[in-house]
Structures are given as structure tokens and as C-alpha cells.
Amino acid sequence: ADGDPGAIVDRFIADYFAYEARPENAVLAAEITAEAMRSPQIVGPYLDNRRTLIGALAAVLRRMPEGATPPCPADPVRLAGTLLDVIGAAASRVAFEDAATQETTCATTRQVAARLLGG
């Protein structure tokens, strides 16, 4: 999408966190991840989906203004993958917590990402 890449990334984090923090999605993600580790039939689609998310997020990260790119890792693909991991882990950890805990954790995740991106 067009627009400020920092705002796009921030919105993505908020939306993806909300999606991953829904209990039914947290359970499904854990089940799919476990099955992908056991089954060659599942690992392909699992990795394809992850690559699609990483590719889209990396494309936005590449548009970040000069000086806003993080010193480590400078590779937008690695950074996108790390952001997905952080969002997923934080969201699944609080999926069964109250709304206030989820909101605080999401806000903290967004702050960490902003600092990582030079904000």
C-alpha cells in the first residue's frame, strides 16, 4: 500500500497482533506449527505462507526513509521475519489474558518495533 511505511508497519503490527491474540487463532497457529514440524506435506504450505507475509512486510521496510533502517539486521527480509516472530510470540502468550493485558502487550510490541526501525 502507498503511504508512510512506518505507519503501515505500525498498523500491520496492531492488526496482526490482534489476529494472533484471538484464542482460536493462537491454538490453531500452535497446532499448525507443530504439525509442520512433523509433516513434509504441511511444512511446504506453512513456509510458503510465512514467506508471503515476510515478503510483503519486507517490501514496506525497504521503503523506510534513509537513516530509519536498523543497524542490525539491515536485511529487510530478516527484520521482517524477526518482527513476525516477535508479534506471534507476544500475541500467543497473552491470547488467554484479559483485554487490558493484550492491549498493553500490543502497545509494547509496537514500541519495540518502532525503536528497532529507528523511531
Side-chain angles (χ1 to χ4, degrees), residues 7 21-22 29 32 35-36 38 41 49 52 59 66-67 69-70 76 78 81 92-93 104 107 113 117:
R22 291 182 12 213
I32 291 172
E35 189 59 28
R38 292 187 290 264
Q41 296 158 317
N49 181 63
T52 298
E66 191 67 35
T69 54
R78 289 185 187 272
S92 65
R93 185 182 57 77
T104 301
L117 298 174

Side-chain angles (χ1 to χ4, degrees), residues 27-37 42 46:
V27 169
L28 185 59
E31 289 175 353
I32 291 172
T33 301
E35 189 59 28
M37 295 175 102
I42 301 298
Y46 172 86

Side-chain angles (χ1 to χ4, degrees), residues 81-114:
T82 300
L83 284 173
L84 285 180
D85 292 342
V86 169
I87 297 163
S92 65
R93 185 182 57 77
V94 297
F96 301 97
E97 298 282 346
D98 58 81
T101 300
Q102 288 186 11
E103 288 173 19
T104 301
T105 303
C106 182
T108 301
T109 303
R110 291 165 76 184
Q111 290 171 347
V112 167

